[in-house]
Amino acid sequence: MKRKRTGIFWFLAAVFTVMLAAGYFSNATAATARADRLTVILSADPANLDPNDNDSQTHYQAVRNIYETLFVYDDNYNLTPWLCEKYEYQDDSTIILHLRKGVKFHNGDEFKANDVYFTIKRVIDNKLAAMVEFSNILIDKCEVIDDYTFKLVTNGPVATQIPLLENPAAEIMNERAYKEANGDFVKGACVGTGPFQFVSYAPGDQLLLKAFDGYWREGEPHYDNLLIRFIGDSASRAIEAETGGADIVYDIGAKNLESVNAAKGVSIISEVGTNTSHLLMNTSVAPLDNDLVRQAVWYGVDAKVAVKLAYGDFGAVATDWVCPGIKGSNPDLAANYFPVRDVEKAKKCLAEAGYANGVELEIVVPSNNQERCDMAEVFQAQLAEVGIKVKVNIMESSAWNAYIFTGKQQMTIYGFSAADFEADRALVQFMPTNVNYNLCKFDNKEFQEITAKSFVTLDENERFQLYRDAITILMKNHVTIPLWFKALNAAVKDDLKGFKITRSYEHHYLQYVAPNK
Amino acid sequence: MARFIFNRLISMIFVLLATLVIIFTLMYFVPGDPAISLLGESATIEAVKDIHTKLGLDDPYLVRLGRCLWDFVRADFGISYRSKTPVFGEIMARYPTTLKLTLGSTILGILIGVSAGIVSAVKQYSIFDRVFTTISLFGASAPSFWLAMVLVLIFSLWLGWLPATGSYELKYWLLPVFTMGLQCSAFIMRMTRSSMLEVIRQDYVRTARAKGQTEMKIIINHALRNALIPILTVTGMRLCGLLGGSVLVETVFALPGIGKYILDSVSFQDYPVVQGGVMWICFNCVVITFIIDMLYGAVDPRIRSMYGVKKLSRRQSVKEV
């Protein structure tokens, strides 16, 4: 009898333990219906849901589904009005924006000019991350003319003010929702006009959105729910793509492309982005302050070999200073100014510079970017033939960042993004007012004048020519060697259609994605 | 006993304060600028300076340390530079994941480790002993991230039985808990085995056997109970280690835990998060150590009586005066 009772006790204990474990490890998400859901995996958490206070691609990729901008780029990368129907310049520094009528926020409010004013003013008053987009706006002179007309006044002519309004950091938020929720984006402030509306956010884990029934573009989106998960580890993302754990997985690493491509039911969609990696030479530190030494490096390296070894078929060897399609690109640049490896010429330059017996240089690269480390080692081997002994200094990424901003480094590998589709965003980083100036410390008056002029030239043709001229000066002075065009990619299940890579800011639109029936 | 608890609580406060000073100093001297991370590469020097002023990053070391200590005394972990939300809330959002992973692994580790350790000790040099010892050696020496990747490869990619990442239902937790539990069990198993081997040769075990008690009773009531102190110690240490050291497993299985959060924040130079996260883990470890110390008395009457003897001798000494 006693043994029987003991048996019952152990049985109940076992059942209780299993039930406890099941409850202990499950959470509310598991209970949510999984049908008709699009699951997308990003490489990092957006960190916050404030549309105007973050400057990372993963933030854009998550939040762009909730909020929208006044302008977008169309499939041909022409700037197109979105929440704005049309615009005109009243004078060089005054833009009249005519807003789209009938657009609703997720809380039912109609999208109006006062929301645009509120969004810009909040960024400027609080110096949020979107300051880069709004820094030239004179908010006190801006004016809400009527519910659907907004006067935007800038501090003198700003050539790229309209492209800057396409930046996801310039997304428009709802004034009433923000004020009522006291700025808490998880408790009510997360209200935009986008195709999906906020449901829940688990930091570091996932963002759950649902389709917005009142979305102004009929027939979109095509899924009731959008689950955005965040997986930082590249190999884990690749495994999720291979096992079908998600419908779309962004940013498949170069080393995982082959295995994901080989998996059944999933394809890699890839396109060249807007970021070009360069070998940068600091023109202010010896011996690189001597143009002949820079020329020796210039003729001593073979970028194609380095890129091929580091990236394989991922991305493309740079054939221009900026990526194809960026305003300011110059198809003739490669033929006229790109370095062609010539060891004898490099040795001659070195001898003329007074280093006939060789010279020592240092290249610093971040440890978390294996491809850049690989390229640095290739350059080390190539330059050794010239007589340049290169020390490859692989630094922890934060330490590397801090070091290159001091301007004490000699060479590094760095990527310049032109996500607004104009070369200005890359060129501004060579200006003394920019935090990245110390990367090359290229103190050239002609370059600075041309670049500064390009920033205020509204005429597109003239502006694009100024970009090309500024880039040519950089090349003539052997400041940077363009290496690699970064590729953007995503693993997409074959039973989906409508997914497209968005090159600008990499915030791929998910409202077009639909089941491929 | 009360005096012991009081002394322990005081020392806990000093440990926490010392940890805070160390972590603050380390973060202060780590190169990097959070303002640039916040604003991006297009930022102007002027905008970076504004952020420095706003966050108080230009203040001298002692001013910033004083501010940090004052916030800590008020249990204010600060605001994350990146998310702009209170750090404590961010930590609490991730704490359940770390806790589930840590406790699940420790429970699994205890179940496997203690059982295997007892069998190994009782059946010393048997085939069971050799198998368990070999497995424990593997478990203790295999790096967790490697083990995690191998398990994902086998059970998710090849067999398709379990999900590779996530933390939604019980099945999502099996691989991460097993990865960490296997390591935990290896240490516990080895400690259980050696402690049991010491104890089962003692006179009182022989006496219990002579009195005719069943072998099970002898092992559980006499041997294991007396061998528990080192097992408790190693379990407590593993629990503390898992709390802060689960970052690699959290990364591979995409679990939103505290370890991964701190690591991401280090690369972003989000100082308040790093300080707050480390302090929270430190607080947990201090509490665990305290509980383990209390458990010593609960499982071993000799330790309980030691406190009693101390009290007695103090009273006696008063009388003598």
Side-chain angles (χ1 to χ4, degrees), chain A residues 477-503:
Chain A
N477 286 277
H478 315 100
V479 181
T480 84
I481 301 177
L483 302 173
W484 178 66
F485 292 149
K486 182 187 170 187
L488 309 176
N489 68 28
V492 182
K493 273 189 179 173
D494 292 341
D495 55 8
L496 296 181
K497 64 176 181 183
F499 178 79
K500 281 179 285 188
I501 295 279
T502 308
R503 290 176 68 195

PDB file of all heavy atoms in Angstrom, chain A residues 477-503:
ATOM      1  N   ASN A 477      45.183  63.547 -55.612  1.00  0.00           N
ATOM      2  CA  ASN A 477      46.078  63.708 -54.459  1.00  0.00           C
ATOM      3  C   ASN A 477      46.333  62.393 -53.720  1.00  0.00           C
ATOM      4  O   ASN A 477      46.909  62.401 -52.627  1.00  0.00           O
ATOM      5  CB  ASN A 477      45.511  64.754 -53.505  1.00  0.00           C
ATOM      6  CG  ASN A 477      45.679  66.160 -54.039  1.00  0.00           C
ATOM      7  OD1 ASN A 477      46.738  66.764 -53.895  1.00  0.00           O
ATOM      8  ND2 ASN A 477      44.652  66.672 -54.706  1.00  0.00           N
ATOM      9  N   HIS A 478      45.837  61.312 -54.281  1.00  0.00           N
ATOM     10  CA  HIS A 478      46.096  59.965 -53.732  1.00  0.00           C
ATOM     11  C   HIS A 478      45.692  59.865 -52.262  1.00  0.00           C
ATOM     12  O   HIS A 478      46.463  59.406 -51.430  1.00  0.00           O
ATOM     13  CB  HIS A 478      47.580  59.590 -53.905  1.00  0.00           C
ATOM     14  CG  HIS A 478      48.101  59.921 -55.260  1.00  0.00           C
ATOM     15  ND1 HIS A 478      48.856  61.039 -55.539  1.00  0.00           N
ATOM     16  CD2 HIS A 478      47.925  59.288 -56.445  1.00  0.00           C
ATOM     17  CE1 HIS A 478      49.141  61.095 -56.830  1.00  0.00           C
ATOM     18  NE2 HIS A 478      48.583  60.035 -57.402  1.00  0.00           N
ATOM     19  N   VAL A 479      44.482  60.330 -51.954  1.00  0.00           N
ATOM     20  CA  VAL A 479      44.009  60.336 -50.568  1.00  0.00           C
ATOM     21  C   VAL A 479      43.330  59.008 -50.210  1.00  0.00           C
ATOM     22  O   VAL A 479      43.558  58.453 -49.139  1.00  0.00           O
ATOM     23  CB  VAL A 479      43.029  61.517 -50.339  1.00  0.00           C
ATOM     24  CG1 VAL A 479      42.541  61.553 -48.903  1.00  0.00           C
ATOM     25  CG2 VAL A 479      43.709  62.827 -50.692  1.00  0.00           C
ATOM     26  N   THR A 480      42.507  58.522 -51.103  1.00  0.00           N
ATOM     27  CA  THR A 480      41.821  57.244 -50.840  1.00  0.00           C
ATOM     28  C   THR A 480      41.918  56.346 -52.071  1.00  0.00           C
ATOM     29  O   THR A 480      41.961  56.843 -53.197  1.00  0.00           O
ATOM     30  CB  THR A 480      40.319  57.418 -50.517  1.00  0.00           C
ATOM     31  OG1 THR A 480      39.587  57.498 -51.743  1.00  0.00           O
ATOM     32  CG2 THR A 480      40.061  58.661 -49.672  1.00  0.00           C
ATOM     33  N   ILE A 481      41.946  55.062 -51.817  1.00  0.00           N
ATOM     34  CA  ILE A 481      41.871  54.095 -52.926  1.00  0.00           C
ATOM     35  C   ILE A 481      40.547  53.343 -52.784  1.00  0.00           C
ATOM     36  O   ILE A 481      40.353  52.604 -51.817  1.00  0.00           O
ATOM     37  CB  ILE A 481      43.048  53.087 -52.894  1.00  0.00           C
ATOM     38  CG1 ILE A 481      44.382  53.833 -52.978  1.00  0.00           C
ATOM     39  CG2 ILE A 481      42.918  52.072 -54.013  1.00  0.00           C
ATOM     40  CD1 ILE A 481      45.604  52.927 -52.872  1.00  0.00           C
ATOM     41  N   PRO A 482      39.613  53.565 -53.720  1.00  0.00           N
ATOM     42  CA  PRO A 482      38.337  52.836 -53.631  1.00  0.00           C
ATOM     43  C   PRO A 482      38.573  51.333 -53.782  1.00  0.00           C
ATOM     44  O   PRO A 482      39.327  50.907 -54.661  1.00  0.00           O
ATOM     45  CB  PRO A 482      37.531  53.379 -54.816  1.00  0.00           C
ATOM     46  CG  PRO A 482      38.203  54.668 -55.181  1.00  0.00           C
ATOM     47  CD  PRO A 482      39.650  54.471 -54.871  1.00  0.00           C
ATOM     48  N   LEU A 483      37.953  50.553 -52.902  1.00  0.00           N
ATOM     49  CA  LEU A 483      38.215  49.115 -52.904  1.00  0.00           C
ATOM     50  C   LEU A 483      37.003  48.274 -53.293  1.00  0.00           C
ATOM     51  O   LEU A 483      37.063  47.458 -54.197  1.00  0.00           O
ATOM     52  CB  LEU A 483      38.681  48.675 -51.502  1.00  0.00           C
ATOM     53  CG  LEU A 483      39.917  49.336 -50.919  1.00  0.00           C
ATOM     54  CD1 LEU A 483      40.109  48.908 -49.475  1.00  0.00           C
ATOM     55  CD2 LEU A 483      41.145  48.969 -51.747  1.00  0.00           C
ATOM     56  N   TRP A 484      35.898  48.507 -52.581  1.00  0.00           N
ATOM     57  CA  TRP A 484      34.805  47.520 -52.657  1.00  0.00           C
ATOM     58  C   TRP A 484      33.445  48.193 -52.538  1.00  0.00           C
ATOM     59  O   TRP A 484      33.260  49.065 -51.686  1.00  0.00           O
ATOM     60  CB  TRP A 484      34.993  46.526 -51.508  1.00  0.00           C
ATOM     61  CG  TRP A 484      33.971  45.453 -51.370  1.00  0.00           C
ATOM     62  CD1 TRP A 484      33.737  44.441 -52.242  1.00  0.00           C
ATOM     63  CD2 TRP A 484      33.046  45.269 -50.288  1.00  0.00           C
ATOM     64  NE1 TRP A 484      32.728  43.636 -51.773  1.00  0.00           N
ATOM     65  CE2 TRP A 484      32.290  44.122 -50.569  1.00  0.00           C
ATOM     66  CE3 TRP A 484      32.798  45.966 -49.114  1.00  0.00           C
ATOM     67  CZ2 TRP A 484      31.289  43.650 -49.726  1.00  0.00           C
ATOM     68  CZ3 TRP A 484      31.805  45.499 -48.268  1.00  0.00           C
ATOM     69  CH2 TRP A 484      31.067  44.350 -48.562  1.00  0.00           C
ATOM     70  N   PHE A 485      32.523  47.780 -53.401  1.00  0.00           N
ATOM     71  CA  PHE A 485      31.130  48.218 -53.279  1.00  0.00           C
ATOM     72  C   PHE A 485      30.409  47.211 -52.389  1.00  0.00           C
ATOM     73  O   PHE A 485      30.330  46.025 -52.732  1.00  0.00           O
ATOM     74  CB  PHE A 485      30.433  48.248 -54.642  1.00  0.00           C
ATOM     75  CG  PHE A 485      30.942  49.299 -55.590  1.00  0.00           C
ATOM     76  CD1 PHE A 485      30.930  49.082 -56.963  1.00  0.00           C
ATOM     77  CD2 PHE A 485      31.406  50.528 -55.122  1.00  0.00           C
ATOM     78  CE1 PHE A 485      31.380  50.043 -57.852  1.00  0.00           C
ATOM     79  CE2 PHE A 485      31.861  51.502 -56.007  1.00  0.00           C
ATOM     80  CZ  PHE A 485      31.860  51.253 -57.357  1.00  0.00           C
ATOM     81  N   LYS A 486      29.890  47.702 -51.290  1.00  0.00           N
ATOM     82  CA  LYS A 486      29.185  46.802 -50.368  1.00  0.00           C
ATOM     83  C   LYS A 486      27.894  46.290 -51.021  1.00  0.00           C
ATOM     84  O   LYS A 486      27.189  47.057 -51.677  1.00  0.00           O
ATOM     85  CB  LYS A 486      28.848  47.556 -49.082  1.00  0.00           C
ATOM     86  CG  LYS A 486      28.161  46.714 -48.037  1.00  0.00           C
ATOM     87  CD  LYS A 486      27.706  47.553 -46.857  1.00  0.00           C
ATOM     88  CE  LYS A 486      26.814  46.741 -45.949  1.00  0.00           C
ATOM     89  NZ  LYS A 486      26.226  47.558 -44.881  1.00  0.00           N
ATOM     90  N   ALA A 487      27.624  45.015 -50.801  1.00  0.00           N
ATOM     91  CA  ALA A 487      26.372  44.451 -51.319  1.00  0.00           C
ATOM     92  C   ALA A 487      25.359  44.352 -50.187  1.00  0.00           C
ATOM     93  O   ALA A 487      25.718  44.130 -49.035  1.00  0.00           O
ATOM     94  CB  ALA A 487      26.633  43.077 -51.909  1.00  0.00           C
ATOM     95  N   LEU A 488      24.107  44.554 -50.538  1.00  0.00           N
ATOM     96  CA  LEU A 488      23.019  44.335 -49.586  1.00  0.00           C
ATOM     97  C   LEU A 488      22.349  43.039 -50.000  1.00  0.00           C
ATOM     98  O   LEU A 488      22.203  42.779 -51.190  1.00  0.00           O
ATOM     99  CB  LEU A 488      22.011  45.478 -49.639  1.00  0.00           C
ATOM    100  CG  LEU A 488      22.578  46.887 -49.526  1.00  0.00           C
ATOM    101  CD1 LEU A 488      21.461  47.905 -49.701  1.00  0.00           C
ATOM    102  CD2 LEU A 488      23.244  47.071 -48.182  1.00  0.00           C
ATOM    103  N   ASN A 489      21.931  42.250 -49.033  1.00  0.00           N
ATOM    104  CA  ASN A 489      21.258  41.019 -49.421  1.00  0.00           C
ATOM    105  C   ASN A 489      20.228  40.596 -48.393  1.00  0.00           C
ATOM    106  O   ASN A 489      20.186  41.136 -47.280  1.00  0.00           O
ATOM    107  CB  ASN A 489      22.264  39.894 -49.689  1.00  0.00           C
ATOM    108  CG  ASN A 489      22.961  39.433 -48.426  1.00  0.00           C
ATOM    109  OD1 ASN A 489      22.410  39.525 -47.331  1.00  0.00           O
ATOM    110  ND2 ASN A 489      24.181  38.950 -48.568  1.00  0.00           N
ATOM    111  N   ALA A 490      19.422  39.670 -48.814  1.00  0.00           N
ATOM    112  CA  ALA A 490      18.452  39.061 -47.904  1.00  0.00           C
ATOM    113  C   ALA A 490      18.135  37.677 -48.431  1.00  0.00           C
ATOM    114  O   ALA A 490      18.115  37.456 -49.649  1.00  0.00           O
ATOM    115  CB  ALA A 490      17.187  39.909 -47.832  1.00  0.00           C
ATOM    116  N   ALA A 491      17.902  36.754 -47.496  1.00  0.00           N
ATOM    117  CA  ALA A 491      17.453  35.418 -47.889  1.00  0.00           C
ATOM    118  C   ALA A 491      15.934  35.446 -47.833  1.00  0.00           C
ATOM    119  O   ALA A 491      15.356  35.775 -46.802  1.00  0.00           O
ATOM    120  CB  ALA A 491      18.005  34.378 -46.935  1.00  0.00           C
ATOM    121  N   VAL A 492      15.303  35.129 -48.956  1.00  0.00           N
ATOM    122  CA  VAL A 492      13.841  35.250 -49.050  1.00  0.00           C
ATOM    123  C   VAL A 492      13.265  33.895 -49.457  1.00  0.00           C
ATOM    124  O   VAL A 492      13.762  33.261 -50.395  1.00  0.00           O
ATOM    125  CB  VAL A 492      13.454  36.324 -50.087  1.00  0.00           C
ATOM    126  CG1 VAL A 492      11.944  36.492 -50.158  1.00  0.00           C
ATOM    127  CG2 VAL A 492      14.101  37.655 -49.741  1.00  0.00           C
ATOM    128  N   LYS A 493      12.204  33.499 -48.760  1.00  0.00           N
ATOM    129  CA  LYS A 493      11.563  32.224 -49.114  1.00  0.00           C
ATOM    130  C   LYS A 493      10.969  32.308 -50.514  1.00  0.00           C
ATOM    131  O   LYS A 493      10.427  33.360 -50.901  1.00  0.00           O
ATOM    132  CB  LYS A 493      10.448  31.918 -48.104  1.00  0.00           C
ATOM    133  CG  LYS A 493      10.932  31.183 -46.857  1.00  0.00           C
ATOM    134  CD  LYS A 493       9.738  30.745 -46.036  1.00  0.00           C
ATOM    135  CE  LYS A 493      10.175  29.994 -44.807  1.00  0.00           C
ATOM    136  NZ  LYS A 493       9.036  29.719 -43.918  1.00  0.00           N
ATOM    137  N   ASP A 494      11.022  31.205 -51.217  1.00  0.00           N
ATOM    138  CA  ASP A 494      10.546  31.208 -52.607  1.00  0.00           C
ATOM    139  C   ASP A 494       9.034  31.388 -52.713  1.00  0.00           C
ATOM    140  O   ASP A 494       8.528  31.735 -53.783  1.00  0.00           O
ATOM    141  CB  ASP A 494      10.953  29.895 -53.303  1.00  0.00           C
ATOM    142  CG  ASP A 494      12.471  29.825 -53.487  1.00  0.00           C
ATOM    143  OD1 ASP A 494      13.107  30.900 -53.416  1.00  0.00           O
ATOM    144  OD2 ASP A 494      13.001  28.718 -53.664  1.00  0.00           O
ATOM    145  N   ASP A 495       8.303  31.144 -51.614  1.00  0.00           N
ATOM    146  CA  ASP A 495       6.851  31.305 -51.698  1.00  0.00           C
ATOM    147  C   ASP A 495       6.407  32.743 -51.394  1.00  0.00           C
ATOM    148  O   ASP A 495       5.251  32.989 -51.061  1.00  0.00           O
ATOM    149  CB  ASP A 495       6.123  30.289 -50.802  1.00  0.00           C
ATOM    150  CG  ASP A 495       6.582  30.362 -49.362  1.00  0.00           C
ATOM    151  OD1 ASP A 495       7.342  31.294 -49.036  1.00  0.00           O
ATOM    152  OD2 ASP A 495       6.190  29.489 -48.569  1.00  0.00           O
ATOM    153  N   LEU A 496       7.332  33.678 -51.500  1.00  0.00           N
ATOM    154  CA  LEU A 496       6.994  35.092 -51.333  1.00  0.00           C
ATOM    155  C   LEU A 496       7.265  35.829 -52.633  1.00  0.00           C
ATOM    156  O   LEU A 496       8.124  35.430 -53.408  1.00  0.00           O
ATOM    157  CB  LEU A 496       7.859  35.736 -50.247  1.00  0.00           C
ATOM    158  CG  LEU A 496       7.739  35.251 -48.813  1.00  0.00           C
ATOM    159  CD1 LEU A 496       8.669  36.061 -47.927  1.00  0.00           C
ATOM    160  CD2 LEU A 496       6.321  35.392 -48.320  1.00  0.00           C
ATOM    161  N   LYS A 497       6.564  36.924 -52.818  1.00  0.00           N
ATOM    162  CA  LYS A 497       6.877  37.783 -53.965  1.00  0.00           C
ATOM    163  C   LYS A 497       6.833  39.241 -53.506  1.00  0.00           C
ATOM    164  O   LYS A 497       6.262  39.552 -52.453  1.00  0.00           O
ATOM    165  CB  LYS A 497       5.877  37.552 -55.107  1.00  0.00           C
ATOM    166  CG  LYS A 497       4.449  37.937 -54.763  1.00  0.00           C
ATOM    167  CD  LYS A 497       3.518  37.771 -55.948  1.00  0.00           C
ATOM    168  CE  LYS A 497       2.103  38.197 -55.544  1.00  0.00           C
ATOM    169  NZ  LYS A 497       1.127  38.005 -56.584  1.00  0.00           N
ATOM    170  N   GLY A 498       7.433  40.091 -54.268  1.00  0.00           N
ATOM    171  CA  GLY A 498       7.333  41.531 -54.002  1.00  0.00           C
ATOM    172  C   GLY A 498       8.453  42.105 -53.157  1.00  0.00           C
ATOM    173  O   GLY A 498       8.487  43.318 -52.935  1.00  0.00           O
ATOM    174  N   PHE A 499       9.375  41.257 -52.693  1.00  0.00           N
ATOM    175  CA  PHE A 499      10.443  41.826 -51.859  1.00  0.00           C
ATOM    176  C   PHE A 499      11.516  42.449 -52.749  1.00  0.00           C
ATOM    177  O   PHE A 499      11.976  41.851 -53.720  1.00  0.00           O
ATOM    178  CB  PHE A 499      11.088  40.751 -50.977  1.00  0.00           C
ATOM    179  CG  PHE A 499      12.223  41.312 -50.155  1.00  0.00           C
ATOM    180  CD1 PHE A 499      11.962  42.031 -49.008  1.00  0.00           C
ATOM    181  CD2 PHE A 499      13.540  41.156 -50.559  1.00  0.00           C
ATOM    182  CE1 PHE A 499      12.996  42.580 -48.264  1.00  0.00           C
ATOM    183  CE2 PHE A 499      14.585  41.698 -49.827  1.00  0.00           C
ATOM    184  CZ  PHE A 499      14.307  42.419 -48.676  1.00  0.00           C
ATOM    185  N   LYS A 500      11.886  43.673 -52.373  1.00  0.00           N
ATOM    186  CA  LYS A 500      12.936  44.372 -53.126  1.00  0.00           C
ATOM    187  C   LYS A 500      13.941  44.959 -52.147  1.00  0.00           C
ATOM    188  O   LYS A 500      13.558  45.422 -51.068  1.00  0.00           O
ATOM    189  CB  LYS A 500      12.325  45.523 -53.934  1.00  0.00           C
ATOM    190  CG  LYS A 500      11.642  45.092 -55.207  1.00  0.00           C
ATOM    191  CD  LYS A 500      11.032  46.263 -55.950  1.00  0.00           C
ATOM    192  CE  LYS A 500       9.764  46.747 -55.276  1.00  0.00           C
ATOM    193  NZ  LYS A 500       9.029  47.748 -56.011  1.00  0.00           N
ATOM    194  N   ILE A 501      15.187  44.931 -52.547  1.00  0.00           N
ATOM    195  CA  ILE A 501      16.228  45.588 -51.744  1.00  0.00           C
ATOM    196  C   ILE A 501      16.077  47.095 -51.934  1.00  0.00           C
ATOM    197  O   ILE A 501      15.979  47.569 -53.063  1.00  0.00           O
ATOM    198  CB  ILE A 501      17.632  45.145 -52.228  1.00  0.00           C
ATOM    199  CG1 ILE A 501      17.857  43.658 -51.997  1.00  0.00           C
ATOM    200  CG2 ILE A 501      18.739  46.009 -51.607  1.00  0.00           C
ATOM    201  CD1 ILE A 501      18.254  43.266 -50.611  1.00  0.00           C
ATOM    202  N   THR A 502      16.040  47.823 -50.834  1.00  0.00           N
ATOM    203  CA  THR A 502      16.019  49.284 -50.924  1.00  0.00           C
ATOM    204  C   THR A 502      17.438  49.769 -50.636  1.00  0.00           C
ATOM    205  O   THR A 502      17.929  49.614 -49.522  1.00  0.00           O
ATOM    206  CB  THR A 502      15.040  49.882 -49.898  1.00  0.00           C
ATOM    207  OG1 THR A 502      13.786  49.222 -50.054  1.00  0.00           O
ATOM    208  CG2 THR A 502      14.870  51.369 -50.095  1.00  0.00           C
ATOM    209  N   ARG A 503      18.059  50.334 -51.639  1.00  0.00           N
ATOM    210  CA  ARG A 503      19.478  50.701 -51.480  1.00  0.00           C
ATOM    211  C   ARG A 503      19.652  51.852 -50.491  1.00  0.00           C
ATOM    212  O   ARG A 503      20.579  51.848 -49.693  1.00  0.00           O
ATOM    213  CB  ARG A 503      20.070  51.079 -52.839  1.00  0.00           C
ATOM    214  CG  ARG A 503      20.219  49.889 -53.767  1.00  0.00           C
ATOM    215  CD  ARG A 503      20.724  50.339 -55.121  1.00  0.00           C
ATOM    216  NE  ARG A 503      22.105  50.826 -55.053  1.00  0.00           N
ATOM    217  CZ  ARG A 503      22.692  51.534 -56.011  1.00  0.00           C
ATOM    218  NH1 ARG A 503      22.026  51.841 -57.106  1.00  0.00           N
ATOM    219  NH2 ARG A 503      23.949  51.937 -55.886  1.00  0.00           N
TER     220      ARG A 503
END
